[in-house]
Amino acid sequence: MELRALTLDDVDELLKITSHPEVTKFVPGVIQDREMLVSWLKDKPSADHEYMILQDGQVIGECSLDESSGDIGIMLYPEYWRHGYGTAAIKQMLQTAMDLGMKEASAQTDRRNEACIGLLESLGFIRCGIGWGLSEDDLEMPMNKLQEILIFKKSLEMKSGSRTALPI
């Protein structure tokens, strides 16, 4: 598995990912319009580290690290779930965060996304809060129809004071 920086040339493949109903089942407000994706890619801040996840040269997903907030995200095609690709990608995002001198990383997932919760907890993320996944369309909905989001944090500071690579 390898990561490659996301470029404008990836917009159609990214659109396939963000439009896949199983991939985005637990991701509120994901962009599913080509023009909006192009605009987002052109305007995204330099602190947004966005990558395509590749296996044997083929795109299998997308992952990201927001340097300003420490938030890590990942989307994989369903046929690649539970094969270690998500773990490897998040470990690489954590290593990137450490290389940038970040002291903490965060992640969020829908409370029903048991696979992602297990993945985050296996990598040392700790549940620290609950929020609501809101998109513009959700603002008129009753609260019991909104997606409840679990918020996770992970300290990136090493106890010994040295930074070392995470095993992949």
Side-chain angles (χ1 to χ4, degrees):
M1 190 227 50
E2 67 178 291
L3 301 183
R4 176 178 48 75
L6 182 65
T7 69
L8 276 171
D9 293 335
D10 295 314
V11 71
D12 290 324
E13 191 64 43
L14 184 59
L15 185 59
K16 287 180 194 174
I17 295 168
T18 64
S19 297
H20 194 294
E22 286 181 79
V23 172
T24 59
K25 178 179 179 180
F26 298 123
V27 185
V30 68
I31 300 172
Q32 297 181 339
D33 175 85
R34 188 180 195 285
E35 286 181 31
M36 289 178 68
L37 272 176
V38 168
S39 177
W40 171 76
L41 281 168
K42 286 181 177 178
D43 298 335
K44 73 178 185 66
S46 60
D48 285 354
H49 302 270
E50 303 280 341
Y51 301 93
M52 297 304 275
I53 305 169
L54 305 166
Q55 178 62 30
D56 298 326
Q58 177 159 344
V59 173
I60 65 170
E62 178 270 346
C63 64
S64 62
L65 168 67
D66 182 335
E67 191 176 338
S68 61
S69 68
D71 199 45
I72 291 174
I74 187 168
M75 292 186 283
L76 286 173
Y77 286 122
E79 57 268 30
Y80 298 98
W81 294 350
R82 299 185 184 272
H83 294 287
Y85 299 112
T87 299
I90 291 177
K91 283 182 176 181
Q92 286 193 28
M93 292 294 89
L94 290 169
Q95 187 62 55
T96 298
M98 289 175 65
D99 292 346
L100 291 167
M102 298 173 69
K103 301 203 181 316
E104 186 175 73
S106 61
Q108 304 169 23
T109 192
D110 186 286
R111 67 173 170 77
R112 298 166 295 175
N113 192 344
E114 294 175 11
C116 187
I117 292 166
L119 170 61
L120 293 171
E121 290 177 339
S122 76
L123 292 171
F125 282 83
I126 306 295
R127 289 185 209 197
C128 65
I130 297 173
W132 299 99
L134 293 172
S135 70
E136 205 170 290
D137 297 333
D138 296 331
L139 296 177
E140 301 291 322
M141 292 177 67
M143 283 293 275
N144 65 347
K145 298 288 185 186
L146 300 178
Q147 284 185 284
E148 188 177 357
I149 303 296
L150 299 177
I151 301 165
F152 292 82
K153 300 272 184 191
K154 177 177 176 61
S155 174
L156 300 177
E157 295 187 297
M158 306 302 274
K159 290 188 181 7
S160 66
S162 65
R163 295 182 183 268
T164 57
L166 296 169
I168 302 250

